[in-house]
Amino acid sequence: MNLLALFEISDQNLNRLAQIPNLTVIKPDDLTPTLMTKIDFIYGWGAVGPRVLEQSKQLKFIQAYSAGVDYFSLDQLAQKRVLLANVSGIHGEPIAETVLAYVLDFTRGIHAAERAQTQSKWVGDELRPTISTLADQKAVIFGTGHIGQQIAKRLQQFSVKTVGVNRHGHPVDYFDQVTKDDHTLDVVRQADFIINIMPLTTATRHFFDDRFFSALAGHQIFINVGRGPSVDTSALIHALDNHQLAGAALDVFEQEPLPADSPLWSMANVLITPHISGGFKEYGDEAFDILMLNLQTYLKSGKLAKNEVNLKAGY
Amino acid sequence: MNLLALFEISDQNLNRLAQIPNLTVIKPDDLTPTLMTKIDFIYGWGAVGPRVLEQSKQLKFIQAYSAGVDYFSLDQLAQKRVLLANVSGIHGEPIAETVLAYVLDFTRGIHAAERAQTQSKWVGDELRPTISTLADQKAVIFGTGHIGQQIAKRLQQFSVKTVGVNRHGHPVDYFDQVTKDDHTLDVVRQADFIINIMPLTTATRHFFDDRFFSALAGHQIFINVGRGPSVDTSALIHALDNHQLAGAALDVFEQEPLPADSPLWSMANVLITPHISGGFKEYGDEAFDILMLNLQTYLKSGKLAKNEVNLKAGY
């Protein structure tokens, strides 16, 4: 059996794979046209993935190394009866920490101070009246899955009121309140922070559009750690330009890398990070642990142990 | 009786003062040479404070609007039997939130991303291997008073190990370990974050010097939210230049405002905020509450209710 490794595997983890009988690890450089048809498992994805899926005759299971799987052709996987798993669960803590950093950067005047630092400017008197503590501020979090819950948990520790938005509106741990995604405009008007962590589906594409931003009161900070295409970028830029939003912290974008000529780069109230919110040094090891578990379970039972994606729902 | 108000008092709070019989509130512009000798109480300090202290014939009590009181001539106050109170207690939460923001800015790659943003640079691949989560990292906090404890409490919520340094080495809430300030070099070598929140006294002036920084392992982040002169600035710059430190977040400086030609402004691994870490919108109201309480208590009993400074210890 052949495992195509499209995400880096450490030597230590390669040794763990070597203990599985009859399994050969194929690296992208070793792929021949013949071998491409004989891949059983794929770890990761990238440019070569779709070609292998197209030509595969025995592909059984793909272990993605991301939580979102919107970049896969899910219909094609369903049709070819290929199982897909994500690595949901490992991003919760790093993304929650990143969101807290964004929030505190704005409330504590640090984002503005760093801008002033680039001009060697001491702006204490200007900043002091604008900064605040987090207690009793309000965050609306779109997406109440594992990552959304970890974000809400951290915010609650700082006495922030947390409102979750999802499709069913049922109570979820760490949220003071949960509302359905068609009842949100009243809720967001009263929010201080609007945080997106929804998966990208046809329902969430351009969810944050002109209509959404127009409903805001102007003091809100918008944070996107979900998926770039959930936001209509032009509408976001328009909202920032017209003070419908006080600021934004963005880790994901409709087009990545964010084009060098995007006006977002130079907007004073925008904080840009390059799709790193879920990263941490041990990411490779934790993602590999999920691959290993799913691989061993599949070889025994033909099923996945963890994180199988519902190909119809898209997450 | 005359209260000289050197820190702004809102109209609402002036109304509260008006209910104290026989109390006149004097603003700096109203000060005449005669009136200067007839001040009973001072709220705040600034340039005119020392002149009033010098000439006062009946000064009884000064309510400072800061936690640190190193800018007072404490000997002179003791000699003239003038009581001094600070506003300790109101800075704990804002400073703790600022410290968390600094820490997360470094661990989550945000400080570096913001630098790259100023050049419209997408540096995800460079940053991802350098970022981490906070769990099991180690912070050494110099100063275990109220603010130090609030910082430690927040860090513990993120599973950071907290070591406190003080003069006695006894256990303190929110610290996993407490050590005496003459046993610190071994402790700081193993730290990820070194945080100063000590008051400025003769014992803490230039506490962080060449000898201190030379003992470090090179991966540490140094954070100063205490007092600027606790740090030998030249030694700090040398440590940053020579990679004895991985970075620094600085809110206070030997000279404030930080001079425009200071090399600190442009160092890539330095985050500068303009002495705002303890600020928040309601600061004036909370400081005034302490003044009001101390004033009322003094008028009844000749004593202060809260936050009296030990003029010998200096805090």
Side-chain angles (χ1 to χ4, degrees), chain A residues 94 97-98 105 108 111 114-115 117 122 128 131 133-134 154 157-158 257 265 270 272 275 277 279 281, chain B residues 94 97-98 105 108 111 114-115 117 122 128 131 133-134 154 157 257 265 270 272 275 277 279 281:
Chain A
E97 291 188 5
T98 296
D105 263 3
R108 303 306 302 141
H111 178 68
E114 292 203 65
R115 289 275 162 152
Q117 185 182 342
W122 183 268
R128 235 171 267 112
I131 63 183
T133 50
L134 281 184
R154 287 285 173 216
Q157 286 177 334
F158 286 81
W265 285 113
V270 174
I272 290 172
H275 204 142
S277 71
K281 286 172 197 152
Chain B
E97 291 188 5
T98 297
D105 263 4
R108 304 305 304 140
H111 178 68
E114 291 202 66
R115 290 275 163 151
Q117 184 182 344
W122 184 267
R128 233 170 268 116
I131 65 183
T133 50
L134 281 184
R154 287 285 173 218
Q157 286 177 333
W265 285 113
V270 173
I272 289 171
H275 204 141
S277 70
K281 286 170 195 151

Side-chain angles (χ1 to χ4, degrees), chain B residues 261-281:
Chain B
D261 62 356
S262 168
L264 288 170
W265 285 113
S266 57
M267 296 180 93
N269 50 352
V270 173
L271 194 171
I272 289 171
T273 55
H275 204 141
I276 57 171
S277 70
F280 58 108
K281 286 170 195 151

Side-chain angles (χ1 to χ4, degrees), chain A residues 63-80:
Chain A
Q63 175 64 59
Y65 53 74
S66 57
V69 291
D70 44 86
Y71 53 87
F72 285 94
S73 169
L74 301 181
D75 290 343
Q76 195 182 1
L77 293 178
Q79 193 192 322
K80 291 203 156 205

Side-chain angles (χ1 to χ4, degrees), chain B residues 14-30:
Chain B
L14 283 171
N15 286 340
R16 288 169 66 194
L17 280 175
Q19 289 162 25
I20 298 179
N22 306 317
L23 185 76
T24 309
V25 177
I26 313 287
K27 295 193 174 173
D29 289 349
D30 306 329

